[in-house]
Amino acid sequence: SQQGEEDPQALSIQEGENATMNCSYKTSINNLQWYRQNSGRGLVHLILIRSNEREKHSGRLRVTLDTSKKSSSLLITASRAADTASYFCATVRTGFQKLVFGTGTRLLVSP
Amino acid sequence: KAGVTQTPRYLIKTRGQQVTLSCSPISGHRSVSWYQQTPGQGLQFLFEYFSETQRNKGNFPGRFSGRQFSNSRSEMNVSTLELGDSALYLCASSPNVQGPYEQYFGPGTRLTVT
């Protein structure tokens, strides 16, 4: 079963706008990761945030983690058409060695 | 380094048959995980192998099995295929012996069961 629920399920924006996706999970975690998937292909790792971190940046990506609320957000700034993809959060539960994926957010960035 | 490779990329099988999918991890990665992705269930963890031993297993029936060889290459087998086994099967490798368990995915094998 999936641990993470992502919101929104789909997001449509214009190039240059920011995109924010949210992820909620149920159990205590070791870390939370975000992945991107282009149209039925393999997933690409974007960023990892550990349970003792609150915010992390990588290029145009900003991830926050609130362990008290069991939630995370992914912000993509100045979106480009090439950012069009599905984005998944995935958690590693404390004491476990496997990723549990969320339901994903489909992002469409129009030129 | 070359990325994770999966073969075949596409496969069409008939209900009741069996299928074997192959995955070659990134050189030096000893952990290989398998996932099933369907529109209805999303991304579901199948199992993970590390140094030829199954280390973690998801909630799939015994028809789904896997193995890992000494060179870290992995195979997964599905016996007595059902229509519901139609899915994208993704393999991922990781360099981590223990966490944080960042994974590198292959392009997937698209299995269609008719």
Side-chain angles (χ1 to χ4, degrees), chain B residues 15 24 27 69 84 99 101:
Chain B
R15 196 169 50 182
S24 292
S27 177
F69 302 95
Y101 217 56

Side-chain angles (χ1 to χ4, degrees), chain B residues 4-96:
Chain B
V4 177
T5 58
Q6 291 186 246
T7 57
R9 292 293 310 279
Y10 301 92
L11 204 50
I12 300 175
K13 288 286 190 178
T14 303
R15 196 169 50 182
Q17 289 184 317
Q18 75 162 17
V19 67
T20 299
L21 311 181
S22 182
C23 171
S24 292
I26 292 172
S27 177
H29 288 194
R30 293 161 61 190
S31 166
V32 174
S33 298
W34 289 88
Y35 297 84
Q36 182 197 64
Q37 186 177 29
T38 60
Q41 298 298 316
L43 276 155
Q44 303 277 341
F45 172 78
L46 279 156
F47 28 66
E48 183 233 358
Y49 286 86
F50 181 83
S51 292
E52 302 180 63
T53 301
Q54 187 180 84
R55 191 161 64 170
N56 286 286
K57 189 176 187 303
N59 297 322
F60 278 81
R63 300 185 297 107
F64 292 81
S65 63
R67 60 178 175 169
Q68 186 180 33
F69 302 95
S70 58
N71 60 358
S72 293
R73 190 177 69 86
S74 177
E75 289 181 348
M76 69 162 281
N77 184 77
V78 188
S79 62
T80 319
L81 284 166
E82 300 177 359
L83 295 178
D85 297 333
S86 293
L88 180 66
Y89 289 89
L90 294 161
C91 167
S93 71
S94 174
N96 304 115

Side-chain angles (χ1 to χ4, degrees), chain A:
Chain A
S1 63
Q2 289 167 315
Q3 177 176 218
E5 294 292 330
E6 292 178 64
D7 171 60
Q9 289 187 351
L11 180 61
S12 183
I13 60 174
Q14 299 288 320
E15 265 191 330
E17 295 181 338
N18 296 340
T20 299
M21 292 159 251
N22 303 296
C23 167
S24 60
Y25 57 91
K26 299 174 185 174
T27 65
S28 62
I29 60 171
N30 178 284
N31 67 76
L32 184 145
Q33 305 175 31
W34 286 89
Y35 288 81
R36 183 186 75 222
Q37 184 178 37
N38 289 87
S39 190
R41 297 182 185 177
L43 282 78
V44 175
H45 182 269
L46 295 175
I47 195 165
L48 179 153
I49 185 164
R50 298 174 191 269
S51 59
N52 61 354
E53 297 175 313
R54 292 295 167 259
E55 188 171 313
K56 204 160 183 181
H57 297 255
S58 177
R60 295 184 295 114
L61 305 180
R62 172 179 170 255
V63 168
T64 61
L65 179 65
D66 186 335
T67 52
S68 66
K69 295 181 179 178
K70 291 186 169 56
S71 67
S72 173
S73 68
L74 170 68
L75 168 67
I76 304 174
T77 60
S79 295
R80 306 165 182 169
D83 294 328
T84 294
S86 291
Y87 291 82
F88 295 88
C89 68
T91 53
V92 178
R93 283 177 60 185
T94 304
F96 287 78
Q97 292 261 11
K98 66 179 185 180
L99 282 175
V100 179
F101 282 88
T103 51
T105 293
R106 291 191 312 277
L107 173 65
L108 173 63
V109 182
S110 302

